[in-house]
Amino acid sequence: MQAQIWDGDSRMDWEELRLVQVLARHGSLSAAARSLGTTQPTLSRRLDAFETKCGHKLFERHSNGLMPTVACQSILSILDQMEASALAVERRFAAQEEGLQGTVTVTTLDWLGDYVIAPILAKFAADHPGITINLINDSRRFNLSRRDADIAFRFGGFDQKDIVEWKVAEVRYGLFASRDYIERFGKPAAGDSTAHSIVELAEAPVRVSLSTWLKEILPDARVILRTNSIRSQLSAVEAGVAVATLPFFLAADRLGLLAVDTGNSPPTLPLVIGVHSDMRRIPRIRKLIDFAVSEFVGLRSRLSPARP
């Protein structure tokens, strides 16, 4: 949208103002450039030109990024309101679309996207040739209000307003070790004083329960690796050098890996689908959500198997 604002003898369009908002949001030229799909020098020139045009310095440039000036801070809340209004208009127009054609962007986590969500989306797309699906596997929490994505599959709930969500499954986790690890270091047990080695996920709100559970079971264990990837955890466990809390769906059928029953109830995480309320009635999005929900009915026993 090319909304323009009168400011003395100059006009500012939304793209100029959005540049200020994006720079403030990301805190550096390089990060903002990546998000906008452009280059750091280009953004630097655009910022210089806009500061000259409006007659105010908007950012102090430091070696570790950009610091908004007082002038910049005074307009950020207004820019957020403008963005929210512009996005609301876009969503309302999008909601008028009819038929099963167009693009749907879906976001989820790495292993979940690779092994659970991707097959579901591929089956749906195969039956609906007019629909193209973009799958983004990323631990970042994409903003559905800004249409960073249309549909999100997440553990836990959504902290954005106007999001409609459906719980589709519980994902059970457990303690896994390789046969080689157990032969060398023994089978881990609750309260074990053995200096076991563990690999854990980098902390995130929905992952704290996983780390807490493991630390309560093995309080004397040493964390030898932290990673933001379940696949990295799995590889380290398969190497026979550590144990980790892993989803049964991913680890239970791996050759050479064993689920270790410590006598403690393993953690489970709720898996939720979310979509912005303005977007849920778009035919292609509604159809995909309905299909995914039905597919998860058949996956529930594998995602959360009963304890032996």
Side-chain angles (χ1 to χ4, degrees):
M1 297 181 64
Q2 293 296 319
Q4 292 185 321
I5 298 176
W6 179 256
D7 180 26
D9 294 327
S10 63
R11 288 183 182 273
M12 303 178 195
D13 65 36
W14 170 235
E15 288 305 313
E16 291 176 315
L17 294 166
R18 181 170 176 262
L19 171 63
V20 177
Q21 184 188 46
V22 172
L23 288 169
R25 183 173 288 158
H26 289 278
S28 73
L29 286 165
S30 57
R34 286 193 298 272
S35 73
L36 294 173
T38 185
T39 65
Q40 181 174 335
T42 297
L43 280 195
S44 181
R45 288 193 296 270
R46 288 179 59 190
L47 176 59
D48 289 341
F50 185 63
E51 287 181 327
T52 299
K53 179 178 180 178
C54 69
H56 295 281
K57 189 174 184 61
L58 299 173
F59 294 94
E60 298 290 349
R61 305 190 189 197
H62 301 284
S63 58
N64 59 347
L66 299 173
M67 179 66 67
T69 63
V70 173
C72 180
Q73 292 174 348
S74 71
I75 65 171
L76 289 179
S77 63
I78 300 173
L79 297 185
D80 288 342
Q81 294 170 17
M82 291 178 63
E83 180 191 45
S85 297
L87 290 170
V89 171
E90 290 180 6
R91 291 194 302 266
R92 293 295 173 87
F93 279 134
Q96 307 306 313
E97 297 175 12
E98 299 179 356
L100 297 177
Q101 63 274 326
T103 300
V104 181
T105 299
V106 179
T107 178
T108 189
L109 300 173
D110 57 355
W111 77 268
L112 189 66
D114 289 343
Y115 299 106
V116 181
I117 306 301
I120 293 174
L121 300 183
K123 288 169 64 176
F124 178 82
D127 291 335
H128 299 86
I131 298 176
T132 300
I133 301 176
N134 295 328
L135 174 61
I136 304 173
N137 294 334
D138 198 310
S139 59
R140 289 175 297 166
R141 297 176 72 83
F142 284 71
N143 191 312
L144 300 182
S145 298
R146 292 202 302 264
R147 297 197 68 188
D148 294 342
D150 298 309
I151 300 171
F153 291 83
R154 290 180 184 168
F155 290 118
F158 291 78
D159 51 13
Q160 300 165 228
K161 63 179 183 179
D162 299 326
I163 302 300
V164 181
E165 57 185 74
W166 297 261
K167 178 182 173 182
V168 293
E170 293 275 353
V171 178
R172 180 184 164 208
Y173 285 69
L175 179 62
F176 283 85
S178 70
R179 293 181 187 276
D180 181 55
Y181 181 92
I182 292 175
E183 289 175 1
R184 293 165 59 198
F185 304 105
K187 185 178 180 180
D192 197 336
S193 60
T194 304
H196 287 286
S197 297
I198 63 177
V199 179
E200 69 176 15
L201 281 173
E203 294 297 343
V206 298
R207 294 171 172 173
V208 170
S209 61
L210 302 180
S211 298
T212 301
W213 179 78
L214 185 53
K215 289 173 181 176
E216 288 175 350
I217 294 173
L218 302 175
D220 296 317
R222 181 172 72 95
V223 178
I224 64 170
L225 178 66
R226 288 188 178 90
T227 173
N228 65 349
S229 167
I230 285 279
R231 291 194 300 269
S232 296
Q233 276 190 301
L234 181 62
S235 296
V237 173
E238 288 181 320
V241 296
V243 300
T245 308
L246 297 169
F248 269 80
F249 182 90
L250 190 61
D253 295 329
R254 291 279 179 157
L255 186 64
L257 292 193
L258 296 174
V260 179
D261 186 1
T262 63
N264 299 60
S265 297
T268 59
L269 297 180
L271 179 59
V272 177
I273 299 178
V275 64
H276 194 280
S277 58
D278 288 345
M279 306 295 288
R280 63 174 172 163
R281 292 185 177 86
I282 297 175
R284 64 181 182 275
I285 292 177
R286 180 73 250 185
K287 193 78 171 179
L288 176 52
I289 291 173
D290 289 343
F291 181 80
V293 170
S294 66
E295 287 291 295
F296 271 104
V297 172
L299 287 170
R300 285 174 185 167
S301 61
R302 294 179 59 200
L303 290 168
S304 185
R307 293 187 65 183

